[in-house]
Amino acid sequence: MKKYIDQGKKDTRSGFGAGMTELGRSNPKVVALCADLVGSLKIEQFIEENPERFFQVGIAEANMMGIAAGLTIGGYIPFTGTFANFSTGRVYDQIRQSIAYSDKNVKICASHAGLTLGEDGATHQILEDIGMMKMLPGMTVINTCDFNQTKAATLAIAEHHGPVYLRFGRPKVPNFTPTDPKFEIGKGVLLNEGSDVTIVATGHLVWEALVAAEALENQGISAEVINIHTIKPLDEKMLLASIRKTGCVVTAEEHNFLGGLGESVARTLSQHHPAPQELVATQDTFGESGTADQLMEKYGLNNKAIEKAVLQVLKRKA
């Protein structure tokens, strides 16, 4: 098994901030809008260097989406920023009508997604956002795994025409992908080759999948690990090739099992290659207040849960 090295824990939201700083210097069409959360989105340097290209909208997220849609008409590339709950649930009508339906080139950038928002609790811990956004026609949905990949994704979506939902998080997590990785929208990343089971992970669960794969190797189980950073469009070709080889799959995500990555994989399998699948995800529940580690443990979103799911799915192989 290939060994991945944690280069030092960093928060993925800081990867977004680093990407925005670089875009501010390289692309004069990029503008930023924020709903009173500049510090949380880590875009202070972008604002300092490009004050004329920043719009502080305040706690008026619906207005922010409408303004962003309007800015595209003038040829600008607006990046909106707030917590994931406020980037989606609070403004779904505006996104649907003004951005997705109108095919506006808006980049909806969402921090503090999932349970790892932590102590702010269930009202802020959205676990439905991937499902909401992937159901919008024409919407690209990206969920990155570490600092480096988030920075790369931020740069890549500026070059992509059309609405994008970019999801990232609050906690510091292992930073293990290459410093300047090639980011291809819609293309999965094969992290480890295996023959017994495919583990398909996204976001914060990618590192946990690698940890689980190493533990499984010590038990004589060969796990193939795929990082699906783009949930829509889904890299069905890579997924099917892997699952045809291994015969079963575990999906892992910091999201409700309804509507997330796991469901997208299940649909793909039902259409092209039925195979046993186990889903590591929240089980149709809201979160609660606690530290990120406490919550991921309680709701079964870590390497131990992935390892357990692998042992279960292996029993179901024909």
Side-chain angles (χ1 to χ4, degrees):
M1 176 179 173
K2 181 178 179 181
K3 304 296 183 181
Y4 287 87
I5 299 173
D6 177 4
Q7 304 160 31
K9 289 182 171 57
K10 293 184 177 182
D11 47 334
T12 49
R13 57 180 173 154
S14 288
F16 170 69
M20 288 299 292
T21 297
E22 191 165 321
L23 284 174
R25 296 167 181 169
S26 64
N27 192 331
K29 291 295 185 180
V30 168
V31 297
L33 301 88
C34 193
D36 202 30
L37 287 167
V38 166
S40 295
L41 272 291
K42 304 295 184 180
I43 56 173
E44 296 97 332
Q45 191 167 351
F46 176 93
I47 297 168
E48 182 180 339
E49 296 180 7
N50 310 279
E52 76 287 354
R53 287 195 275 149
F54 171 68
F55 303 91
Q56 177 57 272
V57 180
I59 306 175
E61 295 86 354
N63 285 343
M64 180 169 68
M65 296 302 171
I67 294 167
L71 284 165
T72 67
I73 298 173
Y76 290 102
I77 307 171
F79 282 64
T80 68
T82 185
F83 288 2
N85 191 28
F86 310 141
S87 287
T88 57
R90 180 171 288 182
V91 294
Y92 197 71
D93 180 59
Q94 284 73 24
I95 293 174
R96 183 183 188 276
Q97 304 298 96
S98 298
I99 296 174
Y101 175 70
S102 304
D103 191 33
K104 292 293 190 289
N105 192 31
V106 175
K107 316 307 173 186
I108 302 164
C109 303
S111 183
H112 293 59
L115 290 173
T116 48
L117 172 60
E119 291 83 353
D120 286 358
T123 56
H124 287 48
Q125 294 163 346
I126 195 160
L127 295 162
E128 314 89 56
D129 53 318
I130 290 173
M132 294 168 64
M133 300 304 284
K134 79 177 187 182
M135 285 175 24
L136 289 170
M139 182 68 70
T140 294
V141 179
I142 297 172
N143 185 37
T144 50
C145 69
D146 69 358
F147 174 98
N148 288 341
Q149 191 172 79
T150 307
K151 179 182 176 183
T154 303
L155 299 175
I157 64 176
E159 301 299 320
H160 170 83
H161 183 82
V164 175
Y165 179 58
L166 175 60
R167 183 191 207 244
F168 44 93
R170 175 189 189 185
K172 291 183 178 180
V173 295
N175 188 38
F176 62 95
T177 62
T179 302
D180 292 303
K182 182 179 181 181
F183 191 93
E184 293 186 70
I185 294 173
K187 298 294 183 182
V189 181
L190 179 61
L191 296 177
N192 189 65
E193 292 190 20
S195 56
D196 296 325
V197 61
T198 300
I199 304 175
V200 179
T202 189
H204 293 144
L205 272 293
V206 176
W207 176 259
E208 299 298 320
L210 290 170
V211 174
E214 187 170 355
L216 290 163
E217 184 181 42
N218 293 333
Q219 301 172 52
I221 298 168
S222 175
E224 187 143 294
V225 180
I226 298 175
N227 171 10
I228 291 293
H229 53 64
T230 306
I231 294 169
K232 181 188 175 186
L234 187 68
D235 191 347
E236 295 185 350
K237 182 178 179 181
M238 177 178 283
L239 292 174
L240 290 169
S242 177
I243 296 165
R244 286 189 174 109
K245 177 176 66 172
T246 64
C248 60
V249 61
V250 169
T251 54
E253 60 192 308
E254 187 184 348
H255 189 272
N256 193 356
F257 81 97
L258 296 169
L261 169 65
E263 272 204 349
S264 290
V265 172
R267 173 192 54 76
T268 300
L269 293 176
S270 70
Q271 291 177 314
H272 302 289
H273 184 74
Q277 177 183 353
E278 292 287 333
L279 290 80
V280 174
T282 59
Q283 301 298 305
D284 197 24
T285 181
F286 292 103
E288 61 186 293
S289 182
T291 67
D293 287 344
Q294 287 172 336
L295 294 169
M296 296 294 267
E297 174 74 24
K298 177 173 181 177
Y299 289 86
L301 304 180
N302 56 21
N303 60 84
K304 291 183 291 184
I306 294 170
E307 185 180 346
K308 180 180 178 181
V310 166
L311 298 177
Q312 291 174 333
V313 81
L314 287 173
K315 295 176 182 178
R316 297 171 53 201
K317 283 180 69 171

